Amino acid sequence: MMTEPINPAAETTGGFVPSVAFESISKRFGGVQALDDVSFGIAPGECHALVGENGAGKSTLGKVLAGIHRPDGGTLRVGGRVMVFRSPRDAACAGIGMVHQELAFCPDLSVAENLRLGRYPRRMRCLLDRRAMEEQARQLLGELGVDLDVRQTMRHLSTGQEQLVQTAAAVGTGARILVFDEPTSSLSQAESESLFELMGRLRQSGVTMIYVSHRMPEVLRLSDRISVLRDGRYAGTLTRAEATENKIVQMMVGRAIAHYRPAPPASAPGPVRMRVKGLSSPGKFENVSFEIRAGEIVGMAGLVGAGRSEVAQAVFGLDSRAQGEVEVDGHLLRGGSAGEAMRNGIGLVPEDRKRQGLVLSMSCRRNFSLVILDRLSRWGLLNHRQEAREAESLLARLSVKAPSIETPVASLSGGNQQKVVMAKWLARQLKVLMVDEPTRGVDVGAKAALHELIDELARQGLAILLISSELPEVLSLSSRILVMRDGRIAGEVSRAGADQELLMRLMAGVGSAPSRNEGARA
């Protein structure tokens, strides 16, 4: 890490020396200009939101501050001093921490070992003090109101639990500047509230926070000021008093965006397309039964760890220990086989796109065609021309921002990676599509487009299972909603009888549903 003395001529904002100042920051990845001459300052102790469409450069700018990326040009100042970070360790030594959108852990180490990684307590200067390490881990998780067995390995946690552990790890470094990159993307409402309470305590202690999010209500609630990036360039900064959702969105995309609100179906759903009976998996979920009809969107809500994603994985044949029955159009599937599920017209957009939905080293075109190789091949030879033609068509339909279909998906933003996952399943002739957190990490414009797409697919006769931690998303799209709690279906709510209060009651097991919601069954 290299530093220079405080520059008396350093740019100030409103009379203060910024805690963080970006001065003409630029960064290019191959043919993609991720950041282009970005300049603005962040006040000491403020929560400063950073918003923009997918690919606008938000995460890249956060990673420049965290020492993960070195800018191609420009100057980074922290506390008025010019900083050159050669590694994340340099940034950490300067008091900077980051909660990443894309999670990175040592999956075979315990929760406690990951939380204290690189900072293990010692006995006699050389021996690991495991008891102290586990107690420190419990205290860090306790700050977030999280009760986890810190001795279990990370690979056994859900994505939401991983997110909470990563947040605790970043806060536990004692950093005075924290970057939160989509920290609530896989958290339930209750877990998000615990995070917001922690952020309030951090603000009171003088910690500067940069909050990257697509969720406008969170941005408007938490931030003191809001800076907008568009196509890698700085588009401006608003105070909370100046900001409205419409104004922010127009700065992000250069136009107004109407949220997609599907109308109720004009006709009743068709025949039962998929029926699940008595599905159970030891330690995950028990006796789960439901059905989905053609043209119907069935939502599935629940707190993180309730078993939502695990049920979808079992239906898709990814859980060899699962017992029960899955039928598609009356045909009983052989359990434990994803190939069998796909041959019978089931598709799954998984919760974790990087580990389960994509091959990061491969191009957009190659990822797109993975699930339709049987259709694109003849006598063992792949029709490359047809593959390219279909990939270009579907990626354009979902407005994927990539230099070409040959671009490796690893170089795309998180939201554009999610679109590639969606595109590959649209290429396959499906009867049932299960979408798990389909708009996680997706900007407001793309979210509206994906909502419209999901609704359109249902109107075309597809049976859709929608799993989401965003209750407004579930309420807006679903014709009825299944609520899971502790591995069981705790209730079913009709579209007409649903609201967030009722769903939260069923999810948390608190009290009974309000009498006005006659569509609820618990």
Side-chain angles (χ1 to χ4, degrees):
M1 175 176 62
M2 296 175 57
T3 69
E4 291 181 5
I6 294 177
N7 182 355
E11 177 185 357
T12 61
T13 305
F16 59 79
V17 175
S19 178
V20 176
F22 302 103
E23 300 175 3
S24 301
I25 299 292
S26 296
K27 181 65 180 178
R28 176 181 289 272
F29 297 100
V32 178
Q33 186 72 46
L35 296 171
D36 187 3
D37 196 32
V38 173
S39 300
F40 66 94
I42 297 171
E46 78 168 327
C47 181
H48 194 109
L50 188 58
V51 300
E53 287 190 281
N54 290 122
K58 309 179 302 296
S59 295
T60 301
L61 190 62
K63 290 175 180 177
V64 166
L65 178 58
I68 298 168
H69 296 324
R70 293 187 65 180
D72 299 326
T75 300
L76 172 65
R77 294 181 185 272
V78 177
R81 295 182 178 272
V82 175
M83 310 297 281
V84 179
F85 298 140
R86 293 192 172 93
S87 69
R89 180 179 290 275
D90 281 354
C93 291
I96 299 168
M98 184 171 185
V99 178
H100 298 271
Q101 177 185 357
E102 306 300 342
L103 307 176
F105 281 110
C106 300
D108 294 314
L109 295 183
S110 70
V111 171
E113 288 167 334
N114 273 277
L115 275 171
R116 304 305 298 164
L117 197 63
R119 305 184 305 279
Y120 293 134
R122 302 287 182 179
R123 290 184 292 112
M124 301 170 60
R125 297 188 178 181
C126 60
L127 300 178
L128 172 64
D129 190 339
R130 187 168 293 277
R131 179 177 297 180
M133 176 184 70
E134 292 175 354
E135 180 58 32
Q136 290 169 6
R138 292 188 191 96
Q139 290 176 0
L140 287 173
L141 291 171
E143 286 286 314
L144 278 169
V146 179
D147 182 17
L148 280 179
D149 180 359
V150 298
R151 292 170 291 186
Q152 66 180 317
T153 57
M154 290 295 298
R155 69 169 62 253
H156 293 124
L157 302 185
S158 69
T159 302
Q161 290 170 327
E162 288 179 340
Q163 182 80 69
L164 290 169
V165 171
Q166 177 169 260
T167 301
V171 172
T173 63
R176 302 303 297 169
I177 299 171
L178 279 171
V179 181
F180 291 90
D181 190 359
E182 299 284 358
T184 62
S185 58
S186 55
L187 301 185
S188 69
Q189 184 171 335
E191 289 160 338
S192 296
E193 288 297 328
S194 294
L195 173 61
F196 299 156
E197 290 176 7
L198 173 63
M199 292 177 65
R201 295 195 296 272
L202 291 171
R203 181 187 300 193
Q204 290 176 357
S205 66
V207 174
T208 301
M209 290 173 284
I210 301 174
Y211 194 79
V212 180
S213 180
H214 290 117
R215 299 183 176 184
M216 289 297 113
E218 293 179 8
V219 167
L220 293 170
R221 170 183 173 180
L222 298 171
S223 57
D224 299 298
R225 292 189 300 148
I226 300 148
S227 288
V228 181
L229 296 182
R230 183 169 68 239
D231 298 328
R233 287 180 165 271
Y234 172 66
T237 296
L238 299 170
T239 66
R240 182 161 50 183
E242 297 171 332
T244 65
E245 184 169 336
N246 287 338
K247 186 177 292 186
I248 294 170
V249 170
Q250 288 186 33
M251 289 177 66
M252 286 169 54
V253 300
R255 66 187 188 281
I257 293 289
H259 291 285
Y260 184 73
R261 301 185 187 280
S267 58
V272 173
R273 181 119 295 169
M274 182 173 75
R275 179 177 284 114
V276 176
K277 297 180 182 177
L279 195 64
S280 299
S281 182
K284 296 179 180 178
F285 55 87
E286 184 177 358
N287 195 29
V288 171
S289 300
F290 61 90
E291 60 185 37
I292 310 177
R293 295 178 175 271
E296 186 178 33
I297 302 175
V298 174
M300 185 173 279
L303 301 176
V304 172
R308 303 167 305 168
S309 299
E310 290 79 3
V311 167
Q313 291 165 6
V315 169
F316 195 62
L318 297 177
D319 186 347
S320 60
R321 301 178 66 193
Q323 300 292 324
E325 296 182 359
V326 177
E327 295 180 1
V328 176
D329 286 344
H331 175 74
L332 184 63
L333 273 61
R334 185 176 71 253
S337 169
E340 173 83 352
M342 290 173 61
R343 285 190 293 273
N344 283 274
I346 300 179
L348 172 63
V349 175
E351 177 185 22
D352 190 330
R353 56 180 169 261
K354 286 201 168 185
R355 287 189 296 187
Q356 301 166 332
L358 297 167
V359 181
L360 295 177
S361 61
M362 292 172 61
S363 67
C364 297
R365 174 169 63 93
R366 294 296 190 196
N367 271 278
F368 160 82
S369 62
L370 281 175
V371 299
I372 56 169
L373 289 174
D374 53 346
R375 179 160 63 80
L376 294 175
S377 301
R378 189 175 184 184
W379 299 316
L381 298 176
L382 181 64
N383 187 331
H384 295 283
R385 185 171 297 177
Q386 182 183 356
E387 177 191 40
R389 184 169 59 249
E390 293 195 25
E392 286 177 345
S393 174
L394 269 175
L395 296 180
R397 178 182 175 187
L398 294 186
S399 301
V400 176
K401 290 184 179 179
S404 77
I405 60 173
E406 304 303 331
T407 302
V409 293
S411 67
L412 303 184
S413 68
N416 283 301
Q417 289 176 350
Q418 185 77 341
K419 293 180 186 179
V420 173
V421 179
M422 287 288 291
K424 74 177 185 181
W425 285 113
L426 295 185
R428 192 170 181 90
Q429 299 302 311
L430 297 177
K431 299 175 181 178
V432 179
L433 178 62
M434 299 182 291
V435 287
D436 193 352
E437 305 289 1
T439 60
R440 179 186 173 212
V442 171
D443 64 64
V444 289
K447 180 177 290 189
L450 285 170
H451 286 175
E452 185 174 3
L453 173 64
I454 291 170
D455 186 53
E456 176 191 335
L457 293 173
R459 292 176 187 275
Q460 291 173 359
L462 209 61
I464 295 177
L465 178 65
L466 169 68
I467 301 170
S468 178
S469 298
E470 293 193 40
L471 294 185
E473 181 168 74
V474 174
L475 290 165
S476 173
L477 291 173
S478 305
S479 48
R480 54 191 173 90
I481 302 162
L482 305 172
V483 180
M484 289 200 68
R485 182 176 71 244
D486 298 330
R488 290 176 173 269
I489 293 182
E492 179 181 319
V493 186
S494 70
R495 180 188 184 113
D499 62 26
Q500 291 196 50
E501 179 187 352
L502 173 59
L503 295 185
M504 285 301 301
R505 284 178 176 272
L506 290 172
M507 288 160 58
V510 177
S512 58
S515 59
R516 69 177 182 275
N517 292 292
E518 299 178 355
R521 300 200 304 269

